[in-house]
Amino acid sequence: MSQELAEQRAAPGSCGLGGPLRYRNVVIIWLRCDQETLNRRLDARVDSMVAQGLLPEIRTFHEVYVKPYSTCEYHRGILQSIGFKEFAKYLERNGPEKDRELLEYLTAPQHERGPKPDSLAQLEDCLDYLKLVTRRYARRQLQWIRNRFLGDTGREVPAIYALDTSDISCWQSQVSDKAVAIIDAALSEQPSPVACEPKSECERPGAKQKERTFRCESCRRVFVGEHQWQIHVRSKKHRKMLKQSTGADRTQRESPVEKGAERELV
């Protein structure tokens, strides 16, 4: 670790992940809504993506970057992105002509639709799965925000203000006006008229301890902190990759990064 980085992490308000805030008049405005409303919006977003040409887009990607190869690993690289791997079975079993047939059916007015295409059930299964993983990812994002900005980790973080966007008819009063008032107060170094989110009283065990860095050779990923590392080693993806790995020492794959290696990662 460089001397400058060591000094940053030793400064007041810092932790093992980095130094204190560089700028003092920083605020975070968190636009959120109730979970039921968020789920409806996420599902509607998926339907909108289909109407705007999702099928031709992923078909082109499949024909160019997947079909020419004998094997594809949907847990690595760009292929693991949400919005593509969920359609793998449909893309492998159907051709572009089915895409056009389904798109015409789905975008037609309800009273003008003809008989359901044969492959509609397959596509609907893929869409339902995409909606499920999208909602799951959104929940992980919410948890990340709570852990990163609201958890009592001992590090200095900006004030975070949560504005409710559940009812868009109240956008002006509940979101826009409040956001402007928060920013004006920060710029003028005055107390904000809107209360910021309180820090969590439940501290994660070991959060204030020095974060250790772990490297998983099987998955080729690096994790900072014991908490994230334990989540990874218990995950299905890690166990699957561990079984596929051959000729490597498992003890070495699941050991903390040594100081020399940690310097290379910084």
Side-chain angles (χ1 to χ4, degrees):
M1 183 186 301
S2 68
Q3 182 178 353
E4 292 183 358
L5 185 57
E7 291 175 353
Q8 287 181 1
R9 294 185 176 183
S14 63
C15 70
L17 296 177
L21 291 178
R22 184 176 182 182
Y23 302 103
R24 312 312 303 177
N25 60 340
V26 177
V27 297
I28 297 175
I29 296 179
W30 179 16
L31 302 184
R32 68 179 185 183
C33 60
D34 62 78
Q35 191 63 50
E36 184 178 350
T37 300
L38 178 60
N39 289 341
R40 288 199 305 269
R41 290 175 178 174
L42 293 173
D43 291 349
R45 178 175 178 268
V46 172
D47 295 335
S48 176
M49 289 166 59
V50 175
Q52 295 180 41
L54 175 64
L55 281 179
E57 181 179 341
I58 60 176
R59 172 64 65 184
T60 300
F61 187 90
H62 180 267
E63 295 292 324
V64 176
Y65 297 105
V66 176
K67 194 173 181 179
Y69 302 95
S70 57
T71 59
C72 291
E73 298 180 338
Y74 288 99
H75 58 278
R76 289 181 180 271
I78 191 64
L79 295 185
Q80 65 181 323
S81 301
I82 294 177
F84 179 75
K85 65 181 183 299
E86 292 78 16
F87 295 89
K89 292 183 178 179
Y90 167 82
L91 294 170
E92 292 169 358
R93 298 174 183 175
N94 300 277
E97 66 284 351
K98 287 293 183 180
D99 298 348
R100 291 189 291 270
E101 181 182 359
L102 286 169
L103 190 58
E104 291 176 1
Y105 177 84
L106 293 173
T107 56
Q110 192 75 26
H111 64 280
E112 296 182 6
R113 291 181 178 178
K116 291 184 178 181
D118 297 336
S119 54
L120 179 61
Q122 295 179 14
L123 179 62
E124 288 178 337
D125 288 342
C126 296
L127 291 173
D128 289 342
Y129 184 41
L130 175 58
K131 292 175 181 179
L132 173 65
V133 297
T134 301
R135 294 193 296 267
R136 186 184 301 161
Y137 183 66
R139 288 195 295 270
R140 289 204 301 267
Q141 288 180 318
L142 292 174
Q143 189 59 48
W144 183 89
I145 292 174
R146 295 187 182 98
N147 292 339
R148 178 64 179 85
F149 298 109
L150 301 179
D152 187 7
T153 61
R155 60 188 171 200
E156 193 174 26
V157 296
I160 180 169
Y161 298 87
L163 302 182
D164 190 1
T165 66
S166 299
D167 186 355
I168 58 175
S169 65
C170 300
W171 181 272
Q172 185 68 34
S173 60
Q174 296 299 318
V175 181
S176 181
D177 291 346
K178 289 184 177 181
V180 171
I182 292 169
I183 295 172
D184 286 344
L187 293 176
S188 60
E189 299 183 352
Q190 298 296 320
S192 172
V194 180
C196 64
E197 288 293 293
K199 292 292 185 67
S200 173
E201 296 180 358
C202 181
E203 181 180 331
R204 176 164 53 86
K208 292 187 179 181
Q209 298 178 3
K210 181 180 178 180
E211 298 282 10
R212 302 168 65 196
T213 303
F214 298 84
R215 178 177 57 210
C216 178
E217 296 294 348
S218 300
C219 303
R220 298 180 182 179
R221 295 181 61 187
V222 174
F223 299 87
V224 178
E226 180 73 25
H227 180 66
Q228 293 298 326
W229 172 248
Q230 292 301 327
I231 292 176
H232 172 69
V233 296
R234 292 194 298 266
S235 66
K236 292 182 180 179
K237 181 182 293 187
H238 171 72
R239 293 198 296 268
K240 180 179 179 180
M241 293 298 298
L242 204 58
K243 290 180 180 179
Q244 294 178 355
S245 300
T246 57
D249 182 10
R250 179 174 297 186
T251 302
Q252 181 181 0
R253 289 198 300 265
E254 299 186 359
S255 61
V257 175
E258 297 179 354
K259 291 184 178 180
E262 187 177 19
R263 284 197 297 269
E264 296 176 1
L265 296 172
V266 171

